[in-house]
Amino acid sequence: MRRQSITTSDRRRRLRRLGAALLLAALALVPSSGTALAQQPPDPYSPIVLINEDDEDLIERKKDGRFIARPLFDRELPALYYGVRDGDSGEWIVPMYRVRGGEKERRDGWEYSFEYPFEDGQTELDPERPYLLVILAKSWAEVNGDFYAVIPVHQPGGLWDRVLRALDPEIWGKAIARWLIEGAHGTLCGVVERAADGDAEACEATP
């Protein structure tokens, strides 16, 4: 009986030690796992990244011709500009505006929402014509980025309309690649010069 009692006691001790070891191992993994899963801040000198590159996700076109853009970047930006060009000719339809307000920090980055037109008297956009949205971004570390997205023709949001839209490649317009080849550096320099001279108009964006 005594030998059996000692054996049972030993088993209980071993189980306790094993449980304590497993608990310590689990606690040790918590901080390392949290560090691995946490989003690391971007290198301030690395290229600016536009996270939502999908045109449908980035731009919402309204039936009256206006649009709402919600670009999502990988970092906070001190300066953001946008303009609109014709999808066929590349002609500037809307001059460069600076976005003010509308920023929102999200878990996956910084969203900057703006709407055009944002006040009366501005050039109206034809809802049945596509346009090219030009976005110029500047980081705190003086890193610049230029991005382009097609402002699509407005389409109703019904299920059947979505099917037809997916089957019609013309719906996204004719934003020709030659307008993307244009030197972004020269364009950005022009925007910065205008802003320095006080000529760049300010866009009070609404979320």
Side-chain angles (χ1 to χ4, degrees), residues 4-181:
Q4 183 178 1
S5 176
I6 293 175
T7 303
T8 302
S9 177
D10 289 342
R11 287 178 180 175
R12 289 177 179 174
R13 289 194 188 113
R14 289 176 183 174
L15 288 175
R16 288 176 183 172
R17 290 175 182 172
L18 179 60
L22 291 175
L23 180 60
L24 289 174
L27 291 175
L29 288 175
V30 169
S32 61
S33 176
T35 303
L37 295 177
Q39 183 180 8
Q40 298 295 327
D43 181 354
Y45 295 98
S46 64
I48 299 171
V49 177
L50 178 64
I51 297 175
N52 55 341
E53 296 181 346
D54 187 345
D55 292 341
E56 273 190 300
D57 184 40
L58 195 155
I59 303 175
E60 177 185 357
R61 191 75 185 273
K62 300 295 185 179
K63 62 181 180 180
D64 58 359
R66 65 190 177 92
F67 69 88
I68 300 175
R70 301 181 180 88
L72 180 65
F73 297 95
D74 67 333
R75 69 197 68 182
E76 184 180 8
L77 302 171
L80 186 69
Y81 302 87
Y82 77 92
V84 178
R85 305 183 75 165
D86 185 271
D88 294 325
S89 66
E91 177 185 357
W92 284 99
I93 304 297
V94 175
M96 298 301 296
Y97 289 100
R98 180 169 180 172
V99 177
R100 295 189 184 279
E103 68 273 10
K104 179 173 61 176
E105 185 177 11
R106 297 183 5 177
R107 187 171 64 177
D108 49 350
W110 280 83
E111 179 183 278
Y112 291 82
S113 61
F114 54 88
E115 179 179 356
Y116 182 87
F118 55 86
E119 63 182 22
D120 296 335
Q122 292 181 302
T123 303
E124 296 184 359
L125 302 179
D126 186 346
E128 297 184 1
R129 292 189 61 188
Y131 298 91
L132 185 66
L133 177 65
V134 182
I135 300 177
L136 301 176
K138 179 182 285 291
S139 75
W140 295 102
E142 300 300 320
V143 175
N144 303 322
D146 56 293
F147 307 92
Y148 304 87
V150 174
I151 304 173
V153 174
H154 169 73
Q155 291 292 319
L159 178 59
W160 181 243
D161 295 304
R162 293 179 183 177
V163 173
L164 293 178
R165 181 161 67 247
L167 297 176
D168 186 4
E170 291 297 323
I171 206 65
W172 295 105
K174 305 172 183 177
I176 308 302
R178 63 194 180 96
W179 302 119
L180 307 184
I181 298 175

Side-chain angles (χ1 to χ4, degrees), residues 81 98 189-200:
Y81 302 87
R98 180 169 180 172
C189 286
V191 171
V192 173
E193 288 175 1
R194 289 182 59 194
D197 294 337
D199 295 331

